[in-house]
Amino acid sequence: MAKLAVNNVNVRGKRVLVRVDYNVPLEEKDGQTVITDATRIVETLPTLRLLSERGAKIILASHLGRPKGKRDPSMSLRPIASKLADLLGRPVAFVDDCIGEKVEKTVDIMQPGDILLLENLRFYPEEENNERGFAEKLAKIADVYVNDAFGAAHRAHASTEGAARVLAARGAPCAAGLLMERELKFLGAELEHPTKPFLVILGGAKVSDKIQVIDRLLEKADAILIGGAMAYTFRLAQGLKTGKSLVEADKAEVAKAALAKAKARGVKFLLPLDDVVAIPSKTDQLDKKGRPVIDYQNVHVNNDANCPDEAAGLDIGPATIKAYSEEIAKAKTILWNGPMGLFEDSRFAKGTNEIARAVAGVTQSNGAKSIIGGGDSVKALNKAKLGDKVTFMSTGGGASLEFLEGKELPGVAALSDVQT
Ligand code: 3PG
Ligand code: MG
C-alpha cells in the first residue's frame, strides 16, 4: 500500500500542520547563532512552495537538539524562522510555543499562503513520550497533516506519530511531503529493484550500527565494500591483528557470519588491502563530549593485513582506494553510508575523499545512480564540494539506517494509505 502524497490533497484555505526536521547543526559565533548546514531546511522548500501556492495555511513544527522536556533558549527554533524567511524571500511568523492559546490565536488570523513556525516540540516531555493529550493539542490547530521530516520518522513521538493518528481518526488526510516522498523513493523503491551491478559501500566506526543493513543488502547487492573502523572488526573475525584500532571484539562472530553469508550468496565482499595507521596518545585536552582528545603521531601506510601492535588504523590505504575505485567504476547503482576513515582529520581524509570522487565520477560519466545514506558520508561529500554530483543525498541519519534495515518507520506508518 502506498502513502497519500501531499500533491493529491486539497489544501486550499486549510490549516496544514507540517512536521519538518529542522534539527540542524548550530554554532555560536560572536554572540550570534549560526546554522552551519541548512540542508534540512532547504530540502523542505519544495513542499512549502507547493502548499503556499495552493493557498494552505502552513504551520511548521520541529524539534531541535535534545532539550529533555525543558525550555532551553540555546535550542530555540527562532533563528530557524529567520533563516527560512531568507531562503523563501518572504516573512515567516514565529510563536514561542508549540501548543496552547498563543498558538491558536496566531493560527486564527493566518491567511492562505501564510507560514508559521512553532517553537521546539521537545520543550515538552510529552512530545517524546508521545502523550495522547499533547498530540491532541497539536492536532487541534490543523485540518490536514503533512510529514516532511524523514530524519525524525524513526521516532514514534507525538508530532511524528500521535498527531497524525489523532487527525486520521477525525478523517483528516495525513500525507507525505515531497522530501519524504523522495527519501522513500531513493532509499526504498530504487534499492528494491536496483539496476545491476549494485554496489554497497559501508564505513563508519561500528559493525553493530551497520550489521542489519549488511545482512539485508547481502540479499540484493553484487558487491559490498567495507571501510572505516568497522573494517577492523572484520579483520579480527579473520584472525588478524588489529593493534590499537577501534574494534568491537564482541561483534567478531557477527562479522564472521556476514562473511560466510556473502560467500554462500556469491556476493563480492571487499575488505581493505592496506591502511593508513598512526600511533595514538591521549592529550590533556577534552573534546565537546568531555573525552580526552587523541593525538596521532607517525602517520604512515601499512601494507600488512595485520596492524602493528602500537598503531591504530585510521583510513584506507592507496591500494584499497585503487581497488575500490575500480569496483565503483563498474557499478550502475551505488549505496554509500559511512566514511572510510577519520575524515575530520585531513591526514585521514584521503580514502573518504577519493571514494566520494569515484562515486561522483561514475554518476556523471556512466549514468550510475548514486544514493548517499545520510550522516557523515553526506558531510564528506559536501566538504569535497561533490554534493551536487551524486543522484541523491538523504537528510536522515538514524532514520535512513533504520529504513535501510527494512524497518517500518512510525512516522511513515501513521500516514494515510492509498490504493496504487
Ligand atoms: C536526527 O538528527 O537524527 C533527527 O533529527 C532525530 O533526532 P534525535 O536522534 O535526537 O531523535
Ligand atoms: Mg539521531
Side-chain angles (χ1 to χ4, degrees):
M1 197 89 84
K3 292 296 176 183
L4 180 63
V6 65
N7 193 34
N8 298 328
V9 182
N10 174 13
V11 295
R12 191 158 301 278
K14 304 257 173 73
R15 300 167 303 166
V16 182
L17 178 64
V18 187
R19 178 47 158 108
V20 285
D21 185 358
Y22 288 168
N23 184 24
V24 291
L26 300 176
E27 236 171 54
E28 278 307 308
K29 261 189 200 145
D30 310 322
Q32 290 258 13
T33 306
V34 188
I35 299 165
T36 52
D37 181 356
T39 309
R40 281 180 165 178
I41 306 173
V42 172
E43 292 297 322
T44 64
L45 298 180
T47 297
L48 304 188
R49 290 200 178 105
L50 175 100
L51 288 170
S52 162
E53 278 162 20
R54 292 187 180 177
K57 298 172 184 172
I58 305 163
I59 305 150
L60 301 170
S62 178
H63 74 285
L64 174 61
R66 292 179 173 169
K68 303 205 169 78
K70 285 202 194 74
R71 227 167 233 283
D72 179 338
S74 75
M75 291 180 216
S76 169
L77 279 157
R78 192 184 285 278
I80 315 292
S82 0
K83 180 70 187 180
L84 182 58
D86 285 349
L87 289 167
L88 284 165
R90 49 172 301 178
V92 171
F94 178 79
V95 189
D96 65 359
D97 212 335
C98 62
I99 50 164
E101 208 177 319
K102 218 188 284 180
V103 174
E104 287 161 30
K105 282 198 170 136
T106 311
V107 172
D108 277 347
I109 56 165
M110 282 176 86
Q111 297 298 311
D114 280 357
I115 304 180
L116 166 69
L117 177 64
L118 304 178
E119 184 55 290
N120 197 339
L121 293 154
R122 290 191 185 170
F123 286 177
Y124 289 88
E126 295 93 329
E127 159 67 357
E128 289 183 75
N129 295 336
N130 198 358
E131 274 180 29
R132 178 83 185 189
F134 182 76
E136 276 166 0
K137 284 179 193 156
L138 285 172
K140 192 176 170 198
I141 48 147
D143 311 302
V144 174
Y145 177 85
V146 171
N147 194 339
D148 221 11
F150 175 77
H154 57 319
R155 308 287 183 217
H157 294 170
S159 65
T160 56
E161 209 257 353
R165 301 273 181 210
V166 170
L167 282 159
R170 271 204 239 142
C174 298
L178 298 174
L179 172 61
M180 177 68 90
E181 278 191 277
R182 267 167 64 74
E183 295 273 5
L184 299 178
K185 172 177 177 263
F186 282 106
L187 296 176
E190 292 280 354
L191 299 182
E192 214 41 63
H193 306 286
T195 309
K196 300 255 176 183
F198 175 28
L199 176 72
V200 176
I201 311 165
L202 292 173
K206 291 182 181 168
V207 168
S208 51
D209 284 344
K210 306 277 157 71
I211 193 65
Q212 278 165 288
V213 176
I214 295 176
D215 199 54
R216 180 151 181 269
L217 291 172
L218 274 170
E219 315 271 338
K220 298 229 175 271
D222 297 292
I224 297 189
L225 312 182
I226 301 286
M230 66 188 252
Y232 295 97
T233 301
F234 281 98
R235 281 190 172 185
L236 198 65
Q238 293 175 320
L240 296 162
K241 286 189 182 169
T242 55
K244 291 205 160 69
S245 310
L246 213 60
V247 290
E248 291 174 284
D250 58 333
K251 292 289 174 298
E253 285 308 313
V254 166
K256 214 182 253 177
L259 290 168
K261 183 169 174 179
K263 199 170 176 194
R265 296 193 66 91
V267 177
K268 210 174 194 181
F269 202 98
L270 299 188
L271 292 167
L273 303 162
D274 59 349
D275 51 2
V276 177
V277 301
I279 315 292
S281 63
K282 280 184 192 160
T283 64
D284 299 337
Q285 282 167 286
L286 296 180
D287 69 11
K288 275 187 201 158
K289 289 183 180 156
R291 295 171 305 202
V293 172
I294 310 286
D295 179 42
Y296 295 102
Q297 296 290 338
N298 189 17
V299 178
H300 64 280
V301 171
N302 169 44
N303 288 310
D304 196 312
N306 286 297
C307 188
D309 287 340
E310 70 288 0
L314 295 149
D315 194 9
I316 56 174
T320 310
I321 292 175
K322 187 164 177 285
Y324 283 13
S325 300
E326 282 168 13
E327 282 302 320
I328 292 166
K330 291 187 276 186
K332 279 288 177 198
T333 308
I334 298 168
L335 170 70
W336 179 19
N337 191 299
M340 296 291 105
L342 191 66
F343 75 103
E344 296 89 346
D345 183 329
S346 61
R347 296 171 297 173
F348 312 116
K350 194 167 180 205
T352 302
N353 286 338
E354 291 300 321
I355 294 306
R357 226 183 300 281
V359 171
V362 70
T363 310
Q364 296 299 314
S365 66
N366 241 3
K369 215 169 261 172
S370 49
I371 298 163
I372 317 302
D376 280 340
S377 2
V378 169
K379 227 185 268 172
L381 269 162
N382 283 334
K383 212 169 157 194
K385 303 221 168 356
L386 294 169
D388 59 345
K389 300 280 188 291
V390 294
T391 312
F392 180 74
M393 293 199 294
S394 177
T395 56
S400 24
L401 273 182
E402 288 196 22
F403 191 56
L404 289 169
E405 286 170 6
K407 288 198 186 128
E408 180 171 66
L409 305 180
V412 178
L415 302 177
S416 315
D417 291 316
V418 286
Q419 298 287 349
T420 42

